Amino acid sequence: MRGVTRVRWAGCAIAAGVLAAGCGGGGGYGGAGVLTSSWGDPQNPLEPTNTNEVQGGKVLDMIFRGLKKYDPRTGKAENMLAERIDTPDSRNFTITVKNGWRFSNGEPVTARSFVDAWNYGASLKNNQKNAYFFGYIEGYDQVHPDSGLQRADTLSGLRVTGPRTFTVRLGQKFSSFPDTLGYVAYAPLPRAFFTDHAAWLSKPVGNGPYEIDSYTKGSAMTLKKWDGYPGPDPARNVGVTLLVYTDSNTAYTDVLAGNLDLVDDVPATQLKNVETDLNGRYINTPAGILQTLAFPYYDPGWNTSGAQKVRTGLSMAINRKQITETIFRRTRTPATDWTSPVLGTAGGFQAGLCGHACDYDPVQAKKLIQEGGGIPGGRLKITYNADTGSHKQWVDAVCNSINNALGNDTACVGNPVGTFADFRNQIGQHKMTGPFRAGWQMDYPLIQNFLQPLYYTNASSNDGKWSNQEFDRLVDRANAETDRSRAVALFQQAEKVVRDHMAAIPLWYQNGSAGYASRLSHVALNPFSVPVYNEIKVG
Amino acid sequence: MGRYVVRRLLQMIPVFIGSTLLIFLMVNVMGDPIAGLCGERACDPATAAQLKREFGLDKPVWQQYATYMGNVFTGDFGTAFNGQKVTELMSSAFPVTIRLTVVAILFEIVVGIALGVVTGLRRGRPVDTGVLLGTLVVISVPTFVTGLLLQLLLGVEWGWVRPSVSPAAAFDELIVPGLVLASVSLAYVTRLTRTSIAENKRSDYVRTAIAKGLPRHRVVVRHLLRNSLIPVVTFIGTDIGALMGGAIVTERIFNIHGVGYQLYQGILRQNTQTVVGFVTVLVLVFLVANLLVDLLYAVLDPRIRYA
């Protein structure tokens, strides 16, 4: 009977393994006044100057308030912590911080909270991915040189002049600088951030309407209303629990089953049913995101005068209306300029600025492409990353539309790249030979943000290396202009240069979409397509 | 027996080194992982250079591998791009996947073997035909279809279970995902057991046992099943590793934050440290599971002995 004892022993070992693996408790999120919302795992450590994607930004938006805040409806920059921002010349700014603001750990928010945070963000040794936001400030090239070691630890353009005042000196005139200060990279930081960085990262402390109750990296974060919040926009719910979902389909299913209150990314495959599924609890509102096709101007084939006609022709060959209706089910709107409707006409959005070049006209398209000498290289390859965002569908549709216009089934093909990292890598190494997918999500609702980073010579996101002296000159003039409406007009002139050269083909404005449970009310998305959590009412 | 185990353990070393090197090379040929870190815009060159230096990506691949292996032997699997230690990711991911695998294996053992015995003893009867057809359906339908279907029916339409698993991932929440994960293997276990039982049913020792007047359940469990289990144990043993590594689809559908999830994230973000670290551990699991299977043979059939 030796065998029997051994088998029994093996059974015990398996049972022990089961116990060792542990039997955790059940779910139990949500509850009275607390809403649960879908979330994605932030890609970078949660620091204001290191967060460049929506998921991390969502949290920072809840736990931080900066000098300015963008109105969730109009997108207009309004004073939040800033009492006054004065400037005599659009280059030197004196900023006064309001009295009575505190971090949720009790520490007061002072001028130093801002200056220290900005110096930290700009410093090369901290590897902050949003460091370039401080590039406008004088001394940035010392703190963050393009190569080699940094020559200074602090920005020479920043100076604390009192407990609640500090001055900023920019490297050049930039009249809309105060309006950029609502971006999360400019958030103030408490002393604890610097003294015990690791502890702060595991549970960030800010000065916003919420404080973090617990944070399990990769799976969940619970935020609760901070009762001591002095601002005008306190939370109208008891708390928010963010749950990490790997697949937006699962999150959507959970909303349908009543296990999740809010999903802020309705998957494309569900758009067909979403309105009946959720019985009107579906939001589809414009966001500050524009999708374009960018071109490699470092490739000689695309940098000819004829290629300009080809690009305009290609733009005319794309049936935007049909693609946005059939593939995106109206969660995108055909683009007619290079900005976004969320700016509003006063902010620089101008419907129809693209003119006939963005209208679907297959006959004219074919004519223009032939006049321009045909597609460089004989075949159009649109490069995109195939791992996320269902880009394959629309790239194939765009190619189909172009092929139909040209009467040639093989004129345009999609060129998928396996991962986003590799896609960015190939763009960075200038390996593109044809158009490639480009998406621009605004940092702040200003027309400047839709033009300068993308088309200014050697700008941070000018991936195609487009360069035009007239455009650069107009942008410089617009930045120096103190009058807001005149500055916007100059930016629009610059945008017309982009149009005349068809520097990039605008495709469509992207909407934010969200679905929510019936126990929520006052759900809205801000222009960044992030839910305005503090305004949501539960029950 | 002891020498056999030692020899098997020594064999693991080249397998271990070879597989990690392969994974390391594969992840590295995908290009520069830093490029994807800054979102749609390019990282500024200074920060990118410094991040590369920090993660050791500026060195030649062989040197990166050597450093990596050196660190692994001291228990340091490096740091993921979001600033977390890979060991930390492992300690949160592996228990979840182990629980899921345990549920799946239990399904395979209990349901699979039971069905196999029933059908094997009643070959050609309606029960047998029915189960055979059933297993054929399960094998031919892809896991993600089964998963999504069960999720929709049980989770949304009927509301019996939560469609997704909470971060705690307790055993009771893992029953449905475990069944989905086990489904295909379960069908194979059923078929293997059935064939094996049907074959041995006619053998001399079974006839002898029946002739001795032993009760039926004793004949089936002690004599018939024990000898029929060897191919099944082999299959289940190798399946442990396959289930752990192959849980990507199931984990994604049911939002389980286990090994599959971390691997998927790691590959998407081209995070060498995460991918190599997790695959390394999975390789070890595979090797150990195979060793255990071989040792179990001796338990099931005392005639099998290893020198």
Side-chain angles (χ1 to χ4, degrees):
Chain A
M1 288 283 110
R2 245 180 100 206
V4 180
T5 38
R6 284 204 199 166
V7 171
R8 209 166 275 158
W9 178 85
C12 291
I14 291 172
V18 172
L19 290 175
C23 310
Y29 288 100
V34 178
L35 69 114
T36 52
S37 175
S38 69
W39 194 33
D41 196 18
Q43 191 175 10
N44 299 308
L46 271 181
E47 296 167 280
T49 45
N50 215 4
T51 298
N52 52 11
E53 36 77 54
V54 177
Q55 303 304 337
K58 207 184 266 183
V59 175
L60 297 177
D61 200 43
M62 292 160 89
I63 61 166
F64 276 108
R65 285 292 177 262
L67 290 165
K68 294 255 185 183
K69 181 175 186 267
Y70 301 114
D71 186 288
R73 269 165 295 273
T74 62
K76 198 169 174 295
E78 279 155 358
N79 280 352
M80 184 50 87
L81 265 75
E83 193 171 286
R84 273 199 328 274
I85 301 179
D86 302 318
T87 177
D89 56 358
S90 293
R91 190 171 173 197
N92 291 287
F93 296 85
T94 306
I95 299 171
T96 311
V97 181
K98 275 184 193 158
N99 204 356
W101 279 79
R102 288 175 182 281
F103 291 99
S104 59
N105 63 4
E107 186 192 321
V109 182
T110 62
R112 201 180 153 208
S113 315
F114 285 97
V115 172
D116 286 352
W118 296 7
N119 278 324
Y120 176 87
S123 174
L124 176 58
K125 65 172 179 241
N126 297 323
N127 290 339
Q128 300 293 292
K129 289 164 197 100
N130 288 341
Y132 60 91
F133 275 94
F134 306 99
Y136 301 111
I137 300 172
E138 202 167 74
Y140 181 73
D141 50 342
Q142 301 287 310
V143 176
H144 198 114
D146 280 343
S147 59
L149 295 173
Q150 62 187 85
R151 293 180 287 277
D153 280 338
T154 52
L155 291 158
S156 60
L158 288 179
R159 193 147 292 142
V160 178
T161 51
R164 291 194 289 119
T165 55
F166 64 105
T167 58
V168 184
R169 184 175 159 79
L170 304 183
Q172 61 178 71
K173 286 188 175 186
F174 182 21
S175 58
S176 16
F177 175 70
D179 287 347
T180 69
L181 296 176
Y183 188 68
V184 71
Y186 297 106
L189 288 169
R191 292 309 306 160
F193 178 87
F194 304 98
T195 50
D196 193 350
H197 194 222
W200 192 91
L201 279 185
S202 63
K203 196 177 166 183
V205 172
N207 64 332
Y210 290 94
E211 57 182 329
I212 294 173
D213 197 27
S214 72
Y215 179 21
T216 318
K217 277 186 184 164
S219 55
M221 176 184 272
T222 57
L223 295 118
K224 60 172 191 233
K225 179 186 179 175
W226 175 36
D227 292 321
Y229 179 67
D233 55 344
R236 292 162 78 185
N237 47 56
V238 179
V240 176
T241 301
L242 301 172
L243 297 168
V244 173
Y245 280 86
T246 43
D247 190 336
S248 55
N249 270 301
T250 312
Y252 182 77
T253 311
D254 255 354
V255 169
L256 290 187
N259 289 318
L260 185 72
D261 294 324
L262 176 64
V263 54
D264 63 352
D265 174 23
V266 177
T269 45
Q270 305 284 1
L271 289 173
K272 197 169 49 177
N273 317 317
V274 65
E275 282 177 48
T276 46
D277 276 355
L278 289 172
N279 195 17
R281 300 186 309 274
Y282 164 61
I283 309 174
N284 179 21
T285 49
I289 306 170
L290 175 71
Q291 296 213 313
T292 60
L293 285 182
F295 291 91
Y297 292 96
Y298 43 79
D299 183 313
W302 285 104
N303 209 357
T304 62
S305 52
Q308 189 178 314
K309 272 193 174 164
V310 175
R311 290 193 297 272
T312 312
L314 288 173
S315 171
M316 288 172 145
I318 300 168
N319 193 341
R320 295 173 176 76
K321 187 165 176 288
Q322 193 188 39
I323 296 172
T324 50
E325 277 173 13
T326 52
I327 293 182
F328 295 120
R329 303 218 170 238
R330 295 194 184 82
T331 57
R332 316 272 152 112
T333 313
T336 56
D337 83 333
W338 280 261
T339 65
S340 163
V342 298
L343 295 180
T345 39
F349 168 68
Q350 191 181 337
L353 183 124
C354 182
H356 190 50
C358 288
D359 290 340
Y360 178 56
D361 185 348
V363 180
Q364 181 73 6
K366 188 175 181 181
K367 198 172 142 238
L368 276 173
I369 292 171
Q370 278 167 354
E371 275 176 24
I375 295 162
R379 193 180 210 191
L380 197 70
K381 278 173 120 181
I382 302 180
T383 308
Y384 61 96
N385 58 307
D387 54 350
T388 50
S390 52
H391 297 304
K392 183 183 169 14
Q393 288 181 334
W394 68 257
V395 170
D396 287 349
V398 164
C399 267
N400 202 15
S401 187
I402 292 173
N403 289 343
N404 283 342
L406 294 180
N408 174 358
D409 276 351
T410 54
C412 173
V413 288
N415 176 32
V417 174
T419 60
F420 179 69
D422 195 20
F423 176 66
R424 285 303 318 174
N425 189 27
Q426 293 190 18
I427 290 175
Q429 294 186 350
H430 297 171
K431 279 187 179 163
M432 295 293 150
T433 54
F436 53 96
R437 174 192 84 75
W440 181 251
Q441 165 135 32
M442 64 176 188
D443 301 312
Y444 28 77
L446 291 178
I447 184 171
Q448 180 264 351
N449 193 239
F450 280 93
L451 297 174
Q452 194 173 353
L454 292 159
Y455 308 110
Y456 197 83
T457 304
N458 287 326
S460 59
S461 290
N462 189 347
D463 288 329
K465 293 282 161 205
W466 189 68
S467 177
N468 182 292
Q469 284 188 345
E470 198 193 345
F471 175 85
D472 292 359
R473 203 169 44 79
L474 284 165
V475 167
D476 287 341
R477 269 180 62 199
N479 277 331
E481 182 60 68
T482 45
D483 181 79
R484 191 184 155 86
S485 62
R486 277 207 296 261
V488 167
L490 280 166
F491 274 120
Q492 281 177 331
Q493 271 191 46
E495 193 184 341
K496 283 175 187 154
V497 178
V498 172
R499 173 193 66 189
D500 295 339
H501 292 84
M502 195 52 81
I505 297 178
L507 294 172
W508 32 73
Y509 311 117
Q510 190 170 323
N511 287 4
S513 62
Y516 56 95
S518 53
R519 70 186 196 118
L520 301 191
S521 58
H522 300 88
V523 184
L525 295 174
N526 69 15
F528 303 92
S529 78
V530 170
V532 189
Y533 285 105
N534 58 295
E535 287 186 3
I536 297 174
K537 281 188 172 169
V538 183
Chain B
M1 190 79 162
R3 275 183 58 192
Y4 173 76
V5 174
V6 171
R7 212 169 63 214
R8 283 294 301 266
L9 286 174
L10 286 177
Q11 277 172 9
M12 282 185 184
I13 296 170
V15 175
F16 178 72
I17 292 176
S19 49
T20 47
L21 181 64
L22 265 181
I23 292 294
F24 208 85
L25 291 175
M26 281 198 267
V27 179
N28 265 284
V29 292
M30 285 164 77
D32 174 17
I34 299 294
L37 269 188
C38 292
E40 292 283 355
R41 68 185 85 216
C43 291
D44 73 276
T47 310
Q50 193 157 305
L51 282 170
K52 270 187 196 167
R53 210 162 37 242
E54 215 159 87
F55 289 109
L57 295 165
D58 54 340
K59 300 205 179 70
V61 177
W62 66 266
Q63 210 173 327
Q64 287 182 38
Y65 180 70
T67 323
Y68 181 82
M69 286 313 273
N71 287 340
V72 164
F73 282 110
T74 59
D76 176 13
F77 281 85
T79 311
F81 288 149
N82 68 353
Q84 269 182 293
K85 288 263 169 218
V86 174
T87 44
E88 211 177 289
L89 294 177
M90 286 178 180
S91 65
S92 69
F94 270 100
V96 174
T97 300
I98 289 172
R99 280 202 291 274
L100 181 63
T101 313
V102 166
V103 173
I105 296 275
L106 283 179
F107 267 115
E108 283 181 26
I109 293 176
V110 176
V111 181
I113 294 182
L115 282 177
V117 170
V118 170
T119 53
L121 291 175
R122 290 178 176 70
R123 222 163 74 147
R125 307 262 187 85
V127 185
D128 180 34
T129 323
V131 172
L132 265 186
L133 273 175
T135 53
L136 190 68
V137 171
V138 170
I139 290 171
S140 53
V141 176
T143 317
F144 72 91
V145 176
T146 330
L148 287 173
L149 203 67
L150 281 182
Q151 184 184 42
L152 191 70
L153 288 179
L154 301 178
V156 182
E157 295 294 323
W158 302 334
W160 293 356
V161 294
R162 284 173 53 115
S164 71
V165 172
S166 73
F171 269 110
D172 52 338
E173 292 179 89
L174 292 174
I175 291 174
V176 176
L179 182 61
V180 170
L181 181 62
S183 58
V184 174
S185 303
L186 194 152
Y188 283 120
V189 168
T190 307
R191 293 185 150 216
L192 271 175
T193 316
R194 171 184 174 273
T195 318
S196 202
I197 292 267
E199 242 168 52
N200 289 336
K201 209 172 89 173
R202 287 190 296 267
S203 58
D204 294 343
Y205 65 86
V206 173
R207 212 173 29 196
T208 314
I210 296 171
K212 272 198 296 188
L214 286 180
R216 184 176 157 83
H217 75 267
R218 198 165 165 85
V219 177
V220 171
V221 174
R222 271 291 141 72
H223 295 79
L224 188 53
L225 190 57
R226 188 164 156 185
N227 282 289
S228 308
L229 273 185
I230 288 184
V232 181
V233 165
T234 315
F235 179 79
I236 293 179
T238 48
D239 208 36
I240 293 176
L243 288 179
M244 287 189 85
I248 292 185
V249 175
T250 316
E251 291 194 354
R252 202 171 146 81
I253 292 173
F254 293 96
N255 197 39
I256 301 167
H257 300 283
V259 173
Y261 163 69
Q262 293 294 351
L263 268 178
Y264 177 74
Q265 288 282 62
I267 291 169
L268 269 194
R269 294 176 180 174
Q270 222 176 314
N271 201 330
T272 324
Q273 315 276 335
T274 322
V275 177
V276 180
F278 275 84
V279 172
T280 304
V281 176
L282 284 179
V283 167
L284 286 177
V285 171
F286 251 104
L287 293 172
V288 171
N290 271 311
L291 177 65
L292 286 179
V293 167
D294 285 357
L295 297 182
L296 261 183
Y297 284 166
V299 178
L300 289 168
D301 187 349
R303 285 171 303 177
I304 303 176
R305 280 281 179 262
Y306 301 98

